[in-house]
Amino acid sequence: MSHLSTTFRVAAPPDVVFDLIADPARGPEWQTMISEMGEISGRPGGVGSSYVGYYRMAGRRIEGRFVVTAAERPNLHQAAGTTRGGWARWTTLIEPLDGGSEVTVHLEYELPGEILGSLFGMLTGSRLDQEFRRTYENLRELVEAEVGRRAGPWAGGGRGGRSSRAGTGTRGRPAVAGKTAGDDRDPNETGRATAPGAPGDSDTADDEGGPAPFAAEPASTTVS
């Protein structure tokens, strides 16, 4: 049996991270070795739900059948699967940390005998480790980009957040002394109010983007 693990931080709440990991239909968006999904049954993230994924390994298309064996939203997701002559078990732990999440992943696996030799020639050691790292870097970027598209306290935070450049208004216009973001009044005029609903009043300061809950840190990965 072989083992890979990684721990990394995400500027997103645990429930958002869990929901993306637990949805097998979105696997090809972030898992680097999966090429497409097959049949998906049951509620995403529910114990007993299942899915079929097709992986590209050493030039071969490998079918994996997975079943969710443990799930406690938003902190735990585990799926176990089999291929012809091999198996894998993914365990993901998600904990709140500093306004975001810390994610720990353990992958235990045995490779199918039919590809053992060729796969070891291409993906063993640092190459397989790189694919594992890249998969979870993709996940982090996808989660943070998704959070950045939502209005609310998470918008603008983290690596995937969108924020306006300093010194610009809410629509990217240069800020003018005496004006606030979204205020088109002349600072030298007094007594002139902008009518409710007038252009400029619909923008909010959320576009300015506050500081990230924490600075993104490189994922740490161990291989055994």
Side-chain angles (χ1 to χ4, degrees):
M1 182 185 74
S2 299
H3 179 257
L4 289 170
S5 66
T6 187
T7 298
F8 58 96
R9 293 183 176 185
V10 184
D15 61 314
V16 176
V17 181
F18 178 94
D19 289 346
L20 199 151
I21 290 173
D23 186 354
R26 303 197 64 181
E29 296 181 45
W30 56 279
Q31 296 185 45
T32 62
M33 289 194 294
I34 195 167
S35 58
E36 61 181 295
M37 299 304 300
E39 180 183 0
I40 299 173
S41 300
R43 176 177 57 84
V47 174
S49 61
S50 62
Y51 57 93
V52 175
Y54 296 95
Y55 297 80
R56 284 289 178 185
M57 292 184 178
R60 290 174 171 81
R61 186 172 184 260
I62 304 298
E63 179 184 281
R65 294 181 172 272
F66 288 83
V67 176
V68 176
T69 53
E72 296 177 7
R73 186 181 185 270
N75 303 120
L76 168 67
H77 184 271
Q78 183 181 79
T82 58
T83 63
R84 189 168 60 184
W87 60 270
R89 179 167 56 240
W90 300 78
T91 303
T92 305
L93 304 172
I94 309 165
E95 297 294 339
L97 180 68
D98 296 338
S101 302
E102 181 174 80
V103 182
T104 299
V105 184
H106 298 285
L107 168 61
E108 303 164 275
Y109 65 95
E110 285 189 1
L111 298 171
E114 65 181 271
I115 66 167
L116 189 62
S118 58
L119 183 58
F120 273 151
M122 296 179 61
L123 293 176
T124 53
S126 62
R127 179 68 183 275
L128 186 56
D129 179 45
Q130 288 171 8
E131 291 297 322
F132 189 72
R133 283 175 176 267
R134 194 155 64 92
T135 284
Y136 286 99
E137 181 64 20
N138 289 348
L139 175 67
R140 171 163 54 187
E141 292 177 356
L142 184 62
V143 171
E144 292 181 352
E146 189 147 308
V147 168
R149 288 194 293 267
R150 302 182 183 186
W154 291 95
R159 294 182 52 182
R162 303 289 183 182
S163 59
S164 301
R165 290 176 297 177
T168 62
T170 58
R171 297 186 185 275
R173 299 176 300 224
V176 179
K179 286 190 177 184
T180 59
D183 189 350
D184 288 325
R185 291 175 294 177
D186 189 326
N188 295 318
E189 294 185 29
T190 58
R192 192 181 81 186
T194 303
D201 279 0
S202 62
D203 294 324
T204 66
D206 285 344
D207 289 335
E208 295 294 325
F214 47 75
E217 298 182 358
S220 58
T221 307
T222 60
V223 183
S224 60

